[in-house]
């Protein structure tokens, strides 16, 4: 069941289960797998993710719109053009645990939609002064368990946590708030 839901092999699920139990982060019982230390799992995942994150294609862009207006525009683009654009980092995190203010929007957008998205938002790619940061997705794995919150598409709490850990300043604070409020519950 889990392998089907996650679209991976039974063997992969088994390897992950075994690894989590070996690290004493989870325990297997007749009732199923029980997570014992979500914080340790997420910190280890965050360390690995931050090393791989450099491989993702990223576009730094600038919009003249105020951040709330730009986010509203992404809602309209989804509704009218069917383009998925998921908030992550601070923009996504405040939807789960509003503990910081932000002045830069981080989004996840599929590679096939990026040109139409940029045209529809009037975003310009820039070398400096970006207020929109787009991770261009070549596959959908980072969209697993994404949510719609108050009409806005938001990356999953796990994805937001991982993305916030990469940010300087208050990123770790945001990540810990999402972990406590959404992941450990």
């Amino acid at each position: 069941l889990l392998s089907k839901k996650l679209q991976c092999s039974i063997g992969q699920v088994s390897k992950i289960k075994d690894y989590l139990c070996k690290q004493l982060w989870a325990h297997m019982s007749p009732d199923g797998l029980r997570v014992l230390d979500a914080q340790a799992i997420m910190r280890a995942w965050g360390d690995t993710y931050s090393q791989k994150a450099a491989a993702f294609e990223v576009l730094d862009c600038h919009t003249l719109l105020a951040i709330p207006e730009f986010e509203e525009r992404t809602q309209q683009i989804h509704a009218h053009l069917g383009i998925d654009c998921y908030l992550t980092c601070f923009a996504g995190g405040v939807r789960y645990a509003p503990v910081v203010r932000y002045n830069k929007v981080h989004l996840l957008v599929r590679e096939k939609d990026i040109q139409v998205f940029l045209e529809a938002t009037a975003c310009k790619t820039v070398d400096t002064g970006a207020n929109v940061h787009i991770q261009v997705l070549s596959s959908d794995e980072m969209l697993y368990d994404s949510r719609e919150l108050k009409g806005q598409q938001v990356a999953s709490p796990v994805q937001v946590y991982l993305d916030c850990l990469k940010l300087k300043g208050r990123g770790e604070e945001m990540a810990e708030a999402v972990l406590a409020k959404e992941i450990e519950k």
Side-chain angles (χ1 to χ4, degrees):
L1 177 68
L2 189 57
S3 65
K4 186 179 257 185
K5 184 170 183 155
L6 297 175
Q7 298 176 345
C8 66
S9 71
I10 293 171
Q12 183 70 20
V13 170
S14 179
K15 286 179 187 178
I16 293 169
K17 174 195 64 82
D18 291 346
Y19 180 78
L20 294 175
C21 291
K22 183 178 178 183
Q23 299 299 317
L24 302 177
W25 295 339
H27 174 72
M28 192 65 196
S29 72
D31 296 328
L33 186 69
R34 193 181 88 192
V35 173
L36 301 174
D37 194 347
Q39 286 186 5
I41 294 169
M42 294 307 297
R43 285 194 184 100
W45 193 353
D47 291 343
T48 302
Y49 180 78
S50 64
Q51 294 168 8
K52 293 180 180 179
F56 301 134
E57 181 183 356
V58 174
L59 294 177
D60 286 324
C61 302
H62 186 268
T63 180
L64 292 175
L65 297 173
I67 297 304
E69 290 176 70
F70 180 81
E71 291 175 350
E72 188 176 317
R73 174 77 55 91
T74 66
Q75 283 179 301
Q76 295 166 357
I77 289 168
H78 173 66
H80 300 298
L81 299 177
I83 294 176
D84 295 322
C85 25
Y86 298 87
L87 299 176
T88 189
C89 294
F90 292 132
V94 299
R95 270 55 181 200
Y96 294 116
V99 296
V100 300
R101 287 201 266 175
Y102 60 99
N103 56 8
K104 186 175 190 180
V105 176
H106 289 77
L107 296 161
L108 306 173
V109 178
R110 288 183 182 94
E111 184 176 36
K112 68 180 180 67
D113 296 327
I114 196 66
Q115 283 311 120
V116 175
F117 177 82
L118 291 174
E119 291 169 14
T121 58
C123 272
K124 294 166 92 172
T125 57
V126 294
D127 293 326
T128 61
N131 60 357
V132 177
H133 180 85
I134 304 170
Q135 286 186 27
V136 182
L137 305 179
S138 57
S139 66
D140 286 351
E141 63 211 26
M142 292 171 68
L143 301 178
Y144 176 75
D145 196 31
S146 58
R147 319 260 169 98
E148 188 165 312
L149 303 172
K150 297 182 181 174
Q152 187 71 57
Q153 290 182 298
V154 182
S156 74
V158 169
Q159 187 63 52
V160 169
Y161 172 89
L162 294 171
D163 289 338
C164 282
L165 281 181
K166 299 182 305 181
L167 299 178
K168 300 206 183 305
R170 301 194 58 201
E172 286 183 4
E173 180 183 351
M174 180 85 261
E176 292 301 320
V178 171
L179 176 66
K181 186 167 184 237
E182 294 293 325
I183 298 171
E184 289 184 315
K185 64 178 185 173

